[in-house]
Amino acid sequence: MSALTDLTIAEARAGLAAKRFSARELAAAHVEAMERAKDLNAYITPTPDKALEMAARSDARLAAGQAGALEGIPLAIKDLFCTEGTRTTAASRILDGFVPPYESTVTSRLWDAGAVMLGKTNLDEFAMGSSNMTSAFGGVKNPWKRRGDARDLVPGGSSGGSAAAVAARIAMGATATDTGGSIRQPAAFCGVVGIKPTYGRCSRWGIVAFASSLDQAGPIARDVRDTAIMLGAMAGHDAKDSTSVPRAVPDYEAALGRGVKGLRFGIPREYMLDGMPAEIARLWEQGIAWLREAGAEPVEISLPHTKYALPAYYIVAPAEASSNLARYDGVRFGTRVAGNSIEELYENTRGAGFGAEVRRRILIGTYVLSAGYYDAYYLKAQKVRALIARDFDEAYAKCDVVLTPTAPSAAFAMGEKMDDPVAMYLNDVFTVTVNLAGLPGISLPAGLSSDGLPLGLQLIGRAFDEETLFAASHVLERAAGFSARPGA
Amino acid sequence: MIIEGKTGPWEIVIGLEVHAQVVSDAKLFSGASTAFGAEPNAQVSFVDAAFPGMLPVINRACVEQAVKTGLGLSATINEVSVFDRKNYFYPDLPAGYQISQYKQPIVGEGHLDIDLASGETKRVGIERLHLEQDAGKSIHDQHPQKTYIDLNRAGVALMEIVSKPEMRSPEEAGAYMRKMRALVRYLGTCDGNMEEGSLRCDANVSVRRPGEGLGTRCELKNINSIRFVMQAIEYEARRQVEVLEDGGTIRQETRLFDSAKGVTRPMRSKEHAHDYRYFPDPDLLPLVLDRKWIEEVRASLPELPDAKKARFVSDYKLTPYDAGVLVAEKENAEFFEVVARGRKDPKLAANWVIVELFGALNRLGRDIASSPVSARQLAGLLDLIENDTISGRIAKDVFGFMVETGRDAAAIVEERGLRQVTDTGAIEAAIDKVIADSAAKVAEYRGGKQALFGWFVGQVMKSTGGKANPAAVNELLRKKLAG
Amino acid sequence: MSLDKATVARVATLARIKVPDADLERMAGELQGIMSWIEQLSEVDTKDVAPMSSVVGHVLSQRADVVADGGRADAVTSCAPERVQLGDGAFFVVPKVIE
C-alpha cells in the first residue's frame, strides 16, 4: 500500500506545500487503491479521470501560490450530493440516468477550496438505513472483520460507503449526511471520525432531500483535525437554502488545541440502556476518565425523553420523506416505467424504482400524515421533539457538552437484523436525539471490542458550538491513541 | 334573491374563492420570471421543476403584495404565518405538493363593500387570504394519446381570497367580483384579467329555506368572466332547488361550468377523494412580519375606490352613481381628476368623461390608456365652453374632430372658425333678419303659438352657422318677438 | 388502530406506489409492527407543549424580486424520459390525462 494513502489531510496539506509530492501523485495513488479495493463496493461511481484532471489544476494553483484550504486533497462524495456532469443515484434505481445539471453548494465549496473528487460513494437508498444494505447497488463491506471470523460486516449507514472508503484508505476524507445518525454510526463502525454539525450550519441545496428538518451534511475523515479542516470548507450560509443559518464560520482547526480544563461534560442517565454490551459501558467509563484527567468535570444529567426519540424520529422522518420523494415520478428525470395512464405511470415507476425500505417509509409517512392521523402522530411527534430539545436546553445549563457511546454495538454481519425493520432502527438509539434537537454531534474511535472491532464515543454540543466538540474530541483522541487499522 | 319554488321560497347562499395571480417580476419561491407568453418551459428554474435537492426561497415582493391586498380588504395582517405542503399527484405539480398556507395564513378576517345596482352598498365578510404556488399547464389537445406539460406558470404567486358565505344572489356575486377586481387593480397587486386567468373565481353555492341552516354546497369551477359567475350561480341555484323540490338530496361535489351551454355538470372525478396530508413545509421557516413595516405598507397604499368615490361626491359634488362609474377603474378616475381640477363646474367634467369620452372609447374599442384625446386636451375643450368661446353644442363637434385628429380644441376652433358669436349686435342683426323674413310665423307666434319659439331659435342658429351664443339668442329673441 | 390490507392498499394509492396484491398482507404486517412500536409515544404528556416549528429558532429570510433563474428550457427538460421540442421551448410528455 502506498504511503501516500496513509496520510491524513493535514499531513498531505503539509506535504504538498513542501513539494514532497504532487497533487497528481496523491490522486493517482488513491485511484489505484480504489481499484484494488473494488471488492468493498464503497464506490458507486469512481471518477478517476476527473480526479486526475482536478489534481492537475490543483498542482497549477499550488505552483502559483494560490492554494485553497483543501488544495489537491482527494475526497469521496456520498452519492446523495448532486455533482454536475457526474451521475448521481442516491443509491436508487429511480434515479437511473440522472446526471445533475447543477452542483450542490457543499461540494461547490469543496471544489472552490481546491479539493479533488475521487468518486461517488455508496449509501443506503435515499439515506434510509443503518447498514448500507438497502442500496440498489449492493451492500458495502466494512474493511474491518471480527478477529478469526471471515464474515463480511456492514459499515453502518446510511453513509456506509463514505466511512468504509476513509477507513480503507481509498479516500482521504469523505462527505456524508446525517439524518438520524448516518454520519456518526458508520464512522463508529469503521473506526473513523465523523461530525454532524448543527442544523443549518451547512447548506442542503443540491443534496437529495430525505427528511428536511433533520438532514445535515458533514465530513468523515481519519482524525479530528481532518474533520475540522473539512467542515471549515463545507460550512457557511447559503441564500438558496431558507433553513441555512447566516452565521460566520469560525476557524475550527484553531479550536482543536483549546483543551478541556474546566469544561463540564454531561453523562445522561437515560443512555445507560438495559442490555448495553459491557464493553461499550466500559468504553464510556474510560471516556469519562480521560476527560477528567484532562481537567474536565463530569456532571450527571437527565434527558428524560430520550426513549421517545426513536419513535418520534420514525414518524417525522418518514412523513417528510413521503413528501420529499413525491417528485420521483418518471416525468422530469430518472427512470420511467410505462403505464397506460398517468396514474399507472406513477405507480409502476415508483413501485419498481424504490426499494423495500424506501417503500415502507413512504407508506408509513403517508399514513401518519393522512386524514385523521395527523394530530396523533405527526403533531405528537413534533411536540415530543420540542420536549427533547428542551431536555438538552436544560442540561446545557449544567454542562457544556454531553458524552455518550455512539452505537449500542460494534459493526454486525451482513444479513443480520434484516428480518425486523425495528431491530435495524434501534441502531440509532444514541444518535437520533441529536438530529431531533438540531444539535451538533461528533463520533470518534475510542477503543476496540473484544473481537477487534472499533467502538466509538459521541460528544454532543450546544447549537453552533462545534468548536467545543473539536476541542473535547481532540483530547479524547489523544488519550485513546486509537491506531488500529482494518486488516482487510 | 329568493327563488320561488313549487313548494315555497328558497334562499341562495354563495361564497366565492378568488385566486389572484400576484404582480411581481419573479415567482413566489424561485427566481424564474412570471412574464406572460414565453416559450414552453423557458421560465422554469430547477426549483420550479422540483429537481433533486432544490429548495424554496420566498420573494419579499409577493409577501408585500399579499399584505397590501389584506390591508385593502381592511383585514387583520397575521404577524406570524406558516407555509404548509398540500400533497397530491398531478403532472402539472412537479414536486407532488403545492406550497400553500393552511392553518396560519398571512391575512385573516376582513371585508369588502360591494356596490349594488340599487345604489345600496353591502358589506361582504372576508374569511382569509393566503399565499400559494400556481401550478403549471397541462395541454391535452396536441396529441391524441399524450398530454404535454408546460411549467412556466408553476410557482407563480397566487393570493387565495376566501369570502364568507354572505352573498345571496348572482347580482351580489357579480358586484363582489367587480369590486375585488377594482381593488386589486388599484393596489397594483394583481392585473385582474379574468379572461387571461390572472383572476380566477370558484363559487360555492347552496340553497336553503329562509331562516334555516346551511344546505349542502357544490363548488363551481371553470368560470372566466363576471358574466359567467352570475350565470353559473343562477343555473346552479335553480338546479339545486329543482332537485330538492323533487325530493332528492344535493351531492357535495365539484361542478364545471359549461359556458357554451350555460349549465353546470359534475367534474369527472379524478380518482378518490383528495387527502392533502397538510403539514408545515420543513424547507421553510415561519414568516414573521415586523409591525412597523406593516404600518409603512399601510401608509404607502394608494387611495382606494371607496375613499375616492366618497371624495368625488364631497369635493366635486358628483352623484354617487357618477362617482361610482368614474372610480371603477383607477385610470379613469385619474383621467377625470386631471380634467376636473380647479374647474368651477366639475359636474361638467364628469358628464363629458362619462358620456362623450367613454362613448368614443367604446366605439373605437380602446381603453383610456390609448385614448386619442388626453385628459389635458379634454380639459382644454371644457375651458373653451366655460369661457364662452364655444357653446356646448359646438363643443361636441369639436370633440369629434379631436378624436379624429388628436389635435387640441383651441386649434380646431380657430382653424374651422367655430368661435361662438357673442357680439349682441351681430345676434340682434341676425334676429332682425329672421323676423323680417318670416312675418307669417311671427304673427302666429304673437297670436299664441308659443311652440314656434324653437323654430325661430333654429333659424337664428342656422343663419349664424350654429355659432351664436344660445343664451344670448334666447334672451334677445324673446324680447324682439314680444314686440 | 390497525393497518390492515385495505388500509395499506389505500395508503399505497395515495403514495402512488404499486403494491401487488400478493404483497399486501406482508406489507401490512411490517407496517403494523412499526406502528405498534411507535405507539409508545402516546405515553408522553404533551399537553400545553407547542410543536417544534423551527429547528434553530430562526425566521424566514426573504429575497429580492429579481429574475435570476429560468430561461433554459433545454436544461430543464433534457433530463426527462420523454419530451417534445417546440421552437426554443420544450414540453414534458405524459400519457393523456383525462380531466
Side-chain angles (χ1 to χ4, degrees), chain A residues 276-289 448-450 455 457:
Chain A
M276 178 177 333
E279 55 192 4
I280 291 190
R282 263 198 310 273
L283 185 71
W284 195 1
E285 290 296 335
Q286 178 68 87
I288 294 171
L448 289 174
S449 71
S450 56
L455 296 171
L457 282 176

Side-chain angles (χ1 to χ4, degrees), chain B residues 397-418:
Chain B
D397 294 340
V398 173
F399 183 71
F401 294 131
M402 289 168 80
V403 170
E404 264 172 58
T405 66
R407 308 199 57 226
D408 284 3
I412 291 171
V413 165
E414 283 316 308
E415 281 159 19
R416 295 176 188 257
L418 296 173

